[in-house]
Amino acid sequence: MFVSIEPLYASIVEDVKARVSNLPRPPKLAVVTCQPDPSTQSYLKSQEKMAKRLGIEYAVFEVPKATELKQILPKLSTDVSVDGILLTHPLPSGVSEFEVASLVSPEKDVEGRNPHSLGSILYDAFAFAPCTAEAVVRIIKYFTNPAGKRVVVVGRSVTVGKPVAMLLTQKGVDATVTICHSRTPDIPSITREADIVVVAIGRAKHLTKDYFKPGALVVDVGINVEENEIVGDVDPSVAEVCDLTPVPGGVGKVTTVVLMEHVVRAAERRILGK
Ligand SMILES: NC(=O)c1ccc[n+]([C@@H]2O[C@H](COP(=O)([O-])OP(=O)(O)OC[C@H]3O[C@@H](n4cnc5c(N)ncnc54)[C@H](OP(=O)(O)O)[C@@H]3O)[C@@H](O)[C@H]2O)c1
């Protein structure tokens, strides 16, 4: 069946609202964008709406040239009025993500893209994790205890696949994780062994029922447009045999509130020293 993430989503929203009201000023998220495409523009609109709903100040800084990213990111990193910084994707061609993500101060890196943030996760030290990866782990923990479970992550991007695996193998989470990618032979024979499968490959409805053990929890991260509809990486028929997160209204929805939660956490650390 399709599982509902609504109660999890609603509880994060309520928690974030309460924490915002305990701060002496609204937290502020600065969004930096360079040559935004229509999908980035619509993403920004929905994010702004969510920020407003939660009482978070939202400011967009649009820079026309990629070179200006190298000026604005350090500037916002030292701006005392800014708590969190988000850099939109895709980045203009020729821009090194490693280089520009390094310019966001780790304290304000609410998207968890700075190499320092990603490295801190390896050490089980505090850092903001990439929001989508954290949303996946929160969803898994909401439905089951991952400790001792066999998890297969399909996809090895820096945004989703690798950080999901890092978070699930942290001490205290204790899952046993296998990562598959486009060069992995016979993926179904691996995913069929798993209690939990996370799919982040960017291929519409690619994984069908034969990939899964009946009763497994399947977290579909994919967002693909097919015939003007948003669809996941997992074929919806998988919901007949597994617990499947919906697309839309699954991981993406939780990701948006996790981002806002990070902004509040960054503000709490800066203003209250928590
Ligand atoms: N819900 C959200 O909030 C959210 C956030 C971010 C992304 N997404 C969605 O999640 C999906 C993945 O995003 P991403 O940024 O991780 O994508 P990405 O950077 O393109 O990485 C895709 C990964 O999938 C692997 N892959 C591709 N085809 C495969 C196949 N047939 N079998 C096995 N592995 C395959 C690739 O392997 P190689 O490394 O070998 O090339 C790569 O590791 C996309 O649909 C994206 O839109 C959703």
Side-chain angles (χ1 to χ4, degrees):
M1 63 171 186
F2 281 105
V3 292
S4 171
I5 55 85
E6 291 302 326
L8 170 66
Y9 171 79
S11 75
I12 303 174
V13 166
E14 285 317 306
D15 175 64
V16 170
K17 270 195 207 158
R19 286 163 62 182
V20 168
S21 69
N22 283 334
L23 287 167
R25 62 159 174 82
K28 181 170 173 180
L29 173 62
V31 178
V32 178
T33 189
C34 185
Q35 302 155 17
D37 58 21
S39 86
T40 302
Q41 284 166 3
S42 100
Y43 175 57
L44 292 184
K45 269 200 190 121
S46 67
Q47 242 180 27
E48 185 171 12
K49 212 168 131 193
M50 172 57 79
K52 215 172 176 177
R53 182 178 161 200
L54 298 173
I56 293 171
E57 209 180 308
Y58 187 88
V60 177
F61 297 82
E62 187 168 341
V63 295
K65 287 195 229 130
T67 46
E68 289 172 37
L69 290 174
K70 291 187 189 160
Q71 284 143 25
I72 193 162
L73 292 171
K75 206 167 144 201
L76 292 170
S77 290
T78 53
D79 182 335
V80 288
S81 75
V82 170
D83 299 299
I85 300 170
L86 179 145
L87 177 61
T88 66
H89 288 76
L91 291 169
S93 65
V95 174
S96 150
E97 171 151 3
F98 185 88
E99 198 181 330
V100 288
S102 303
L103 300 173
V104 175
S105 132
E107 293 75 35
K108 299 185 182 183
D109 181 29
V110 288
E111 271 200 298
R113 284 183 183 267
N114 185 319
H116 182 278
S117 307
L118 291 165
S120 299
I121 295 171
L122 288 183
Y123 282 99
D124 290 357
F126 174 81
F128 293 109
C131 299
T132 305
E134 185 174 330
V136 167
V137 176
R138 297 276 281 268
I139 289 170
I140 291 173
K141 285 182 168 173
Y142 177 71
F143 289 109
T144 186
N145 179 358
K149 300 254 165 61
R150 296 190 65 176
V151 183
V152 174
V153 180
V154 190
R156 59 176 166 182
S157 70
V158 174
T159 318
V160 192
K162 282 181 191 155
V164 164
M166 286 193 314
L167 292 171
L168 286 172
T169 46
Q170 277 187 326
K171 274 198 194 313
V173 187
D174 300 333
T176 302
V177 180
T178 303
I179 303 181
C180 300
H181 45 78
S182 69
R183 305 296 169 98
T184 306
D186 195 8
I187 291 179
S189 72
I190 302 167
T191 47
R192 272 199 300 265
E193 297 284 310
D195 307 304
I196 300 163
V197 184
V198 178
V199 189
I201 63 171
R203 304 265 182 275
K205 301 179 184 170
H206 189 78
L207 278 75
T208 45
K209 278 195 257 186
D210 51 320
Y211 276 73
F212 305 102
K213 170 164 90 177
L217 173 63
V218 181
V219 181
D220 188 355
V221 184
I223 298 178
N224 310 284
V225 179
E226 196 184 65
E227 291 166 8
N228 285 330
E229 250 187 80
I230 292 181
V231 299
D233 290 343
V234 178
D235 192 87
S237 67
V238 170
E240 292 163 19
V241 289
C242 294
D243 290 335
L244 174 62
T245 61
V247 177
V251 175
K253 198 165 176 183
V254 178
T255 299
T256 313
V257 279
V258 165
L259 169 70
M260 298 302 161
E261 191 188 61
H262 284 183
V263 178
V264 176
R265 179 90 168 94
E268 286 170 346
R269 285 170 67 86
R270 297 184 64 244
I271 304 169
L272 308 176
K274 275 203 203 172

